[in-house]
């Protein structure tokens, strides 16, 4: 959550090498920072419940899986000349 707050507060300055990237990258970084904070707060809320709500944990895990699949898909498709660093 601290990293998310860092991105919300600092925008481009929180991204190494992106200080002069422009308003679009700044806006995206701040938006994603807020999303990370919300995601972290949701996890903290879920694990503090007794019993821990399995449905919420599955939903949060699914959101994480979806994000990972979205980041992996360009690697698998070979789009835009992107080459995976896992190969």
């Amino acid at each position: 959550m601290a990293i998310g707050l860092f991105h919300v507060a600092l925008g481009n300055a929180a991204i190494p090498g992106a200080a002069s990237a422009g308003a679009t990258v700044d806006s995206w970084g701040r938006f994603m920072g807020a999303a990370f904070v919300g995601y972290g707060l949701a996890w903290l809320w879920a694990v503090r419940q007794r019993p821990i709500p399995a449905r919420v944990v599955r939903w949060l895990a699914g959101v994480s899986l979806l994000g990972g699949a979205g980041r992996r898909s360009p690697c698998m498709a070979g789009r835009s000349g992107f080459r995976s660093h896992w190969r």
Side-chain angles (χ1 to χ4, degrees):
M1 288 186 337
I3 293 171
L5 289 172
F6 189 63
H7 280 267
V8 171
L10 299 179
N12 282 351
I15 305 169
S20 62
T24 302
V25 173
D26 182 74
S27 176
W28 176 81
R30 290 176 193 266
F31 173 81
M32 291 307 297
F36 294 154
V37 170
Y39 186 71
L41 288 172
W43 270 110
L44 287 176
W45 174 84
V47 300
R48 293 179 59 101
Q49 303 302 306
R50 295 292 179 249
I52 295 174
R55 174 180 249 172
V56 174
V57 170
R58 287 185 191 113
W59 187 84
L60 289 168
V63 168
S64 181
L65 179 66
L66 185 62
R71 290 190 49 96
R72 180 72 175 130
S73 64
C75 302
M76 295 171 70
R79 294 187 193 128
S80 305
F82 181 82
R83 182 168 170 92
S84 172
H85 61 277
W86 292 296
R87 295 182 196 173

